[in-house]
Amino acid sequence: MILDDSERPAAEYEALADALEALREEVATEQLRDSQLEGLFDEATTSNPNIWNTVTAFIDVEDGEAVVTEESKLAQGSWAPEIVDGCDAMLTVDITYGQMPDEFKYTVTKKLDEKIEQARAEAERARDES
């Protein structure tokens, strides 16, 4: 199927939403050690909260799949624009030393739900504008 330029943004947002839904399902049903968010969990639960505030997973959509390309901690401040512009989505959680896997999964699935909803809304907006 060939998309014209007016359909492309909506399709990209839909692809992002679909990929994030698959990642959400992976996190909800698999052991964290078997998921792409294992690194995010490790960083969020073992980093010193007196030094670090948040940890972020940078996510790209590749061949319709959400792929976590890296995790990175942040004390205070914001990410460099070239890091943010180079990814399709960011999933940020607070550093909580010793957090249990079930609590982490709950937090992450809620955040992914929000990102999925945002992507679907952007797809709808893009379709309405075309």
Side-chain angles (χ1 to χ4, degrees), residues 41-91:
F41 174 71
D42 289 343
E43 292 285 352
T45 60
T46 62
S47 298
N48 184 342
N50 294 323
I51 299 171
W52 306 104
N53 300 97
T54 62
V55 63
T56 299
F58 296 91
I59 302 168
D60 286 337
V61 177
E62 298 175 6
D63 297 326
E65 278 190 46
V67 177
V68 176
T69 57
E70 69 178 279
E71 298 88 16
S72 188
K73 295 179 282 200
L74 189 64
Q76 293 182 357
S78 58
W79 297 110
E82 62 272 11
I83 295 172
V84 175
D85 290 343
C87 72
D88 295 313
M90 296 180 355
L91 180 62

Side-chain angles (χ1 to χ4, degrees), residues 23 26-27 31-46 57 68 71 104:
L23 180 60
E26 176 185 327
V27 170
Q31 295 291 321
L32 281 172
R33 296 286 174 220
D34 297 330
S35 80
Q36 289 193 71
L37 295 180
E38 175 185 6
L40 184 69
F41 174 71
D42 289 343
E43 292 285 352
T45 60
T46 62
V68 176
E71 298 88 16
F104 177 83

Side-chain angles (χ1 to χ4, degrees), residues 87-105:
C87 72
D88 295 313
M90 296 180 355
L91 180 62
T92 300
V93 295
D94 292 333
I95 301 283
T96 309
Y97 188 80
Q99 184 179 41
M100 299 306 292
D102 286 344
E103 185 179 353
F104 177 83
K105 286 174 115 177

